[in-house]
Amino acid sequence: MVESFLRIPGDRDRAMADYLRESGRSLGMATRVDTPQASQTFADAARAAGMKSGTAFDPSVYNGSAAYAALIRAQADVYTAENVMKEGSMWTGPTSYNFAQADAFMDIANADKKQVRGHVLFYPVKAAAWQTAGLTSANWQDLCEAYLQAVLTRPSLRSVTDWDVVNEIIAGDTGSDAMGYITGTPHIAAAGSGDAFLQTVFKLFDKYAPNTRAFYCESNTEFADDPYHNVKRANVIAALTRAKDAGCRIDGYSMQCHLQPDPFANDYRLDRHRLRNFCRQLMDLGLIINITEFDVRYPAGGWTGSNREWDRIAAEYIYQTGDTILEATEGTASFPHHISTWGLSDEYTSWTKPQRSHPFDTNLNPKTMFTALRQLLGGYTK
């Protein structure tokens, strides 16, 4: 009998287990692995599948822990700056920029001989205070071009292989304009429409970085079969289709995959059918689909079970999500170039502690999620 990671007591936990099994293929293992071996690395598994592994961190975290830095070097071949390459960190005023931390990140990556993914050039929902009045219909295009030129021609940043050009500007069935964009951001207000902003900055990116891959990055398109998420996926496809039809070079889609399993909140349920169809629509646009921010957070109502129980749930959920994306794209040009986690250790999580969102625990020991990632990659090849 094939044994699943999920053997969970309790009504709520049993509901979670039943829900995950009903969602699609379970992770089942012939031999349960309760003590994963970090020596069998995420990086090795990714290379065997024809892709690369990655993770996100900032220089202060890397430089603050030699042990964590060693773990990052061993497990990841692609480095993503968690915060220091975001628009709010680098674009400090209409014509002023601060690259000190971005340069420090590049120094780390270069010393470790690792590939760098840039995240993110434009993040309108996290606009800096100066942009509310500083971006106007008269100047926004010139200011955006000057910013892109400064970033993309900076010698230290020229080795970045992939950039998320725009992040999180598309909404679902609430809080959106007629074209599906989030309302109230200074970028879109100055441009006059989401299409005008999105298409202009992708074309400007191509002007200054014609040999660097350009990605659109979005959240909350990986799960659920409910009005908000279904409309959001449709809005993403419609916006990217219009951009491609307008002549924009968009090479790929960054699928964030911040997961949050919950057996009672329908808007966080994994729906493999919906996710598979969304991947196929992205594939029809000729886009690479990278998984860029893999982690698993507690349900909205919190978690009262044991760490061991939660770790099995997180492993099952991350496996099923990744399996759906890889299954849809295997053997095509859309197959991921890399799968990156949003951090490796619970000690350095972006979420409120205590959380067990990452492949390694607070003591940098591998968890069941680590085994799930390795087993997931072991089932596919490019």
Side-chain angles (χ1 to χ4, degrees):
M1 179 178 177
V2 175
E3 185 173 16
S4 170
F5 272 116
L6 294 174
R7 290 289 181 270
I8 308 171
D11 292 340
R12 181 182 178 87
D13 298 344
R14 188 171 293 109
M16 178 79 83
D18 291 343
Y19 146 60
L20 284 171
R21 290 195 186 94
E22 291 167 3
S23 297
R25 189 169 78 191
S26 73
L27 175 57
M29 297 185 66
T31 302
R32 184 169 62 197
V33 179
D34 291 328
T35 309
Q37 298 299 313
S39 59
Q40 301 168 322
T41 69
F42 180 27
D44 290 340
R47 291 180 205 129
M51 66 178 81
K52 293 185 178 181
S53 65
T55 198
F57 60 90
D58 279 334
S60 59
V61 172
Y62 185 97
N63 293 327
S65 170
Y68 190 47
L71 183 71
I72 290 170
R73 286 193 297 272
Q75 300 295 335
D77 284 335
V78 178
Y79 288 1
T80 299
E82 187 167 356
N83 294 295
V84 302
M85 288 188 185
K86 289 179 178 174
E87 175 185 0
S89 297
M90 298 192 299
W91 198 5
T92 55
T95 56
S96 62
Y97 317 106
N98 184 349
F99 297 118
Q101 288 301 302
D103 288 347
F105 186 86
M106 294 303 298
D107 287 343
I108 290 169
N110 291 334
D112 291 349
K113 297 181 172 58
K114 303 292 186 175
Q115 179 181 323
V116 174
R117 169 180 169 267
H119 178 77
V120 53
L121 291 168
F122 292 101
Y123 197 177
V125 297
K126 300 286 187 180
W130 71 265
Q131 292 172 330
T132 300
L135 291 175
T136 69
S137 59
N139 69 18
W140 75 273
Q141 188 167 334
D142 288 341
L143 292 182
C144 287
E145 180 166 7
Y147 163 62
L148 282 172
Q149 182 179 19
V151 174
L152 298 174
T153 63
R154 187 169 181 81
S156 62
L157 298 174
R158 284 181 176 170
S159 61
V160 174
T161 58
D162 305 66
W163 271 105
D164 287 335
V165 180
V166 181
N167 188 44
E168 296 178 6
I169 64 170
I170 296 175
D173 62 342
T174 58
S176 65
D177 61 18
M179 303 295 280
Y181 293 97
I182 294 172
T183 59
T185 69
H187 302 68
I188 293 176
S193 73
D195 275 0
F197 172 72
L198 182 72
Q199 294 171 24
T200 296
V201 297
F202 267 99
K203 289 177 179 178
L204 289 172
F205 178 91
D206 193 44
K207 176 180 177 179
Y208 292 103
N211 299 313
T212 303
R213 288 184 291 267
F215 283 73
Y216 178 75
C217 182
E218 190 56 78
S219 63
N220 295 325
T221 58
E222 304 84 30
F223 37 69
D225 176 15
D226 67 294
Y228 177 85
H229 292 91
N230 290 337
V231 171
K232 183 166 188 174
R233 282 186 285 266
N235 287 342
V236 167
I237 296 300
L240 295 181
T241 299
R242 293 192 299 269
K244 298 277 278 189
D245 289 345
C248 295
R249 177 177 64 84
I250 304 177
D251 299 301
Y253 181 79
S254 292
M255 189 95 71
Q256 289 189 15
C257 290
H258 292 303
L259 307 176
Q260 192 173 20
D262 193 318
F264 303 117
N266 184 63
D267 55 343
Y268 287 110
R269 286 177 177 255
L270 173 64
D271 187 301
R272 288 172 68 101
H273 175 72
R274 294 285 185 181
L275 178 55
R276 187 181 298 110
N277 284 347
F278 181 58
C279 288
R280 287 171 178 164
Q281 290 176 300
L282 294 170
M283 293 162 66
D284 287 343
L285 292 173
L287 302 178
I288 303 160
I289 304 174
N290 283 338
I291 298 173
T292 57
E293 302 178 25
F294 236 168
D295 59 19
V296 187
R297 288 172 285 165
Y298 287 160
W303 177 254
T304 58
S306 71
N307 288 344
R308 182 187 178 95
E309 292 160 359
W310 171 256
D311 288 350
R312 294 188 181 192
I313 290 169
E316 190 87 22
Y317 203 72
I318 208 166
Y319 180 91
Q320 288 187 13
T321 303
D323 179 64
T324 305
I325 297 168
L326 297 184
E327 182 182 52
T329 59
E330 187 177 27
T332 76
S334 294
F335 192 71
H337 286 191
H338 65 83
I339 294 181
S340 292
T341 63
W342 198 242
L344 283 173
S345 167
D346 298 329
E347 180 65 19
Y348 305 101
T349 183
S350 298
W351 315 118
T352 303
K353 289 184 177 180
Q355 283 272 7
R356 292 182 69 83
S357 302
H358 306 291
F360 293 81
D361 66 16
T362 55
N363 295 316
L364 309 187
N365 295 316
K367 294 157 47 185
T368 316
M369 188 193 298
F370 175 75
T371 302
L373 283 169
R374 290 188 59 257
Q375 184 169 337
L376 166 68
L377 293 172
Y380 290 94
T381 58
K382 186 174 183 179

